[in-house]
């Protein structure tokens, strides 16, 4: 009693009333609030690299390959800029950790990085170091191959909540050699498949309507939107008799030359949609669409170059230019 701590508290806290047994207290206010513990937010590129740095895993030259590897293998997918684990990623992790506890420990990997640095600096010979590693590692692989329970393929499938338009079975996300794709559970009878899209990608695709009111100038049949390896395009519904096809127009003129802007897709599995000038290669205008609308006029917003930090409105008369609006993004991808 009488310590400094107590005195400090006494000055700020009103004295307790003198209560006797059985006195009624009046309750002034009840706030119905339940507190849930928030899980830590999922990693972004920046926070993941910071975590790797802090734990001593990887080196500046390997951060980018580490991230592209976990994405290419479909262990994580990016949603709103954050990595979300896939079912495959969770199953692989749950399988590897109990079967290879040493190799999967953060301490082991950090120690390995240190030894590799020592080898690079000529302070450690690599033959004995590798021998030390491979002996026990080989043994645990052999043991796992013999003893570990196999994971059934179906357990890797993720439900999408979608139903196959063709046969009514559930549509699920499967992992293939070339990455994830959506397929009908009725396979092999039903062979319907489609690509996996992030909410951003879907929002960007939906910026351009697939209801086109256009007729083939060669045979006068209606044109329709088709999706090929290089993204969407307009094709004549008279195919295969009429092979007329053309790019999908964005509906906005090129800001540099006034020709039509058209939708294109980068090559490769994770290729993104971008807009380029129909007058390419004479005009080299190209821009990345953003899923959120222009905060000033509500029209299409794009970014130029690699970063997605600075947005500009495609409508020249609006002229909005500024940091990519974030609140609108939440709404656009909801
Ligand atoms: Zn089906
Ligand atoms: Zn035609
Ligand atoms: Zn142009
Ligand atoms: Zn605008």
């Amino acid at each position: 009693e009488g310590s400094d701590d107590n005195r400090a508290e006494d000055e700020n806290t009103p004295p307790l009333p003198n209560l006797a047994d059985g006195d009624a207290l009046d309750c002034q206010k009840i706030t119905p609030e339940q507190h849930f513990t928030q899980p830590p937010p999922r990693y972004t590129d920046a926070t993941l690299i910071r975590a790797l740095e802090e734990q001593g895993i990887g080196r500046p030259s390997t951060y980018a390959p580490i991230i592209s590897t976990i994405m290419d293998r479909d262990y994580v997918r990016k949603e709103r800029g954050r990595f979300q684990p896939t079912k495959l990623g969770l199953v692989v992790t749950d399988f590897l950790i109990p079967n290879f506890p040493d190799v999967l420990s953060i301490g082991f990997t950090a120690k390995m990085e240190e030894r590799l640095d020592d080898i690079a600096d000529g302070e450690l010979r690599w033959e004995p170091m590798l021998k030390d590693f491979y002996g026990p590692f080989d043994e645990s692989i052999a043991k796992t191959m013999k003893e570990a329970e196999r994971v059934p393929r179906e357990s890797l499938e993720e439900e999408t909540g979608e139903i196959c338009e063709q046969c009514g079975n559930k549509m699920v996300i499967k992992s293939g050699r070339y990455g994830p794709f959506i397929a009908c559970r009725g396979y092999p009878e039903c062979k319907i498949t489609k690509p996996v899209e992030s909410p951003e990608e879907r929002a960007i695709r939906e910026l351009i309507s697939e209801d086109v009111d256009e007729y083939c100038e060669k045979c006068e049949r209606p044109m329709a939107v088709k999706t090929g390896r290089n993204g969407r395009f307009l094709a004549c519904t008279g195919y295969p008799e009429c092979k007329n096809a053309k790019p999908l127009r964005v509906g906005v003129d090129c800001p540099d030359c006034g020709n039509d802007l058209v939708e294109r897709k980068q090559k490769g599995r994770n290729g993104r949609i971008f807009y380029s000038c129909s007058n390419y290669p004479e005009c080299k205008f190209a821009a990345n669409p953003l899923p959120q609308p222009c905060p000033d006029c509500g029209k299409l917003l794009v970014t130029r170059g690699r970063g997605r930090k600075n947005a500009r409105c495609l409508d020249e008369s609006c002229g909005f230019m500024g940091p990519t609006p974030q609140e609108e993004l939440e709404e656009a991808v909801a």
Side-chain angles (χ1 to χ4, degrees), residues 216-221 223 236-238 242-244:
C216 176
E217 68 272 16
K218 292 190 178 140
C219 72
E220 292 178 356
R221 275 178 280 212
M223 302 288 282
C236 177
T237 50
C242 175
K243 293 190 171 59
N244 191 20

Side-chain angles (χ1 to χ4, degrees), residues 91-113:
V91 168
V92 167
T93 308
D94 286 348
F95 181 83
L96 290 180
I97 287 179
N99 287 306
F100 300 92
D102 296 340
V103 183
L104 267 285
S105 79
I106 287 170
F108 175 91
T109 311
K111 184 95 197 137
M112 179 65 103
E113 298 276 8

